[in-house]
Amino acid sequence: MDNRMDEKDAELLRSRSRAAFDAQAPTYDESMQGDHAHRLYPHVLAEVARAVAGDPAPRLLDLGCGTGALAELALEVVPGARLSCVDLSPRMAEAARARLGGRADVLLCDAERLPFRDGSFDAAWCNDSFHHYPDPERAAFQAWRVLAPGGALVVGDAWQPAPARAIMNAWMPHSKGGDVRIYSEAEMRHILGTWFSDVSWRRGGSTACVVVARKGA
């Protein structure tokens, strides 16, 4: 499976995502627009905590941090963590900085072009953002690259059974929100399994999935 697209088309999708989340930032935590992401928080937090259990000062990375609400909860669940956050939306990044203060570094950047050194983190997560990536293979590689050996990437994302997924994916190119594709279990395993040595997938409710990808030691 090859999900690569023309860079001009990819940049158009990024600009749509950026504009949509800039507009949503002031009300995202209270509005229906953030409901799907919020329902995934407990699932993602549990997997992140499990991934770094026993490490007194793990290095964590939030890919697509939004307003920083999930990152703030992660700091409570994993006390002592050193946290970095990235987001494509300037207004979301601004909201995250305001929420997290000096407790995390918040960078404005693309998850497909991470500015971190190899092996910089012990665990990373991507909550309700993966289906926005124009080049998911590149995003998977970047997450793998910045994780230390034995590190884990936790992905919480949208999911639908095959008939509904086909309809939604046919509509996605017309989305003003920069949505790219909802992936099947097999597709997620293929994308992440290109780099990660172990990939587990499970449902996270009726319209979501939770994937844990582990980097080889």
Side-chain angles (χ1 to χ4, degrees):
M1 181 182 63
D2 189 346
N3 291 288
R4 287 173 294 184
M5 64 176 66
D6 179 86
E7 183 55 32
K8 183 178 179 180
D9 292 336
E11 189 50 44
L12 174 62
L13 289 168
R14 293 186 193 102
S15 68
R16 287 178 179 174
S17 289
R18 190 181 296 113
F21 285 107
D22 275 351
Q24 294 173 23
T27 59
Y28 188 77
D29 290 331
E30 294 80 29
S31 71
M32 290 181 61
Q33 292 167 323
D35 280 353
H36 191 269
H38 300 157
R39 288 196 294 271
L40 277 164
Y41 284 5
H43 299 281
V44 172
L45 287 170
E47 295 295 349
V48 171
R50 186 176 296 114
V52 298
D55 188 336
R59 302 161 297 170
L60 305 180
L61 174 62
D62 187 340
L63 298 165
C65 66
T67 64
L70 179 55
E72 186 173 45
L73 293 173
L75 289 173
E76 296 176 6
V77 172
V78 189
R82 293 167 286 170
L83 175 63
S84 295
C85 305
V86 302
D87 204 279
L88 187 66
S89 158
R91 291 190 178 178
M92 284 292 195
E94 181 181 352
R97 290 190 190 103
R99 181 190 297 271
L100 298 168
R103 294 179 291 168
D105 294 324
V106 180
L107 285 72
L108 181 65
C109 75
D110 185 350
E112 296 174 12
R113 298 174 175 85
L114 295 177
F116 307 107
R117 294 180 178 179
D118 296 359
S120 294
F121 301 97
D122 301 300
W125 64 88
C126 171
N127 189 59
D128 230 19
S129 296
F130 200 82
H131 66 278
H132 283 276
Y133 296 155
D135 190 342
E137 284 85 0
R138 183 171 182 171
F141 165 72
Q142 285 291 308
W144 175 89
R145 180 185 64 78
V146 302
L147 282 168
L153 169 67
V154 180
V155 179
D157 210 63
W159 178 85
Q160 291 285 344
R165 188 169 62 249
I167 293 170
M168 293 185 72
N169 284 339
W171 168 83
M172 289 266 182
H174 309 288
S175 167
K176 294 182 179 180
D179 304 277
V180 175
R181 184 176 179 82
I182 295 176
Y183 299 100
S184 68
E185 176 183 352
E187 288 172 325
M188 288 293 285
R189 288 184 180 277
H190 176 81
I191 293 168
L192 296 172
T194 300
W195 300 101
F196 291 88
S197 60
D198 180 70
V199 179
S200 67
W201 186 101
R202 65 177 174 85
R203 294 272 295 276
S206 60
T207 62
C209 65
V210 180
V211 190
V212 181
R214 298 187 179 277
K215 184 172 181 176

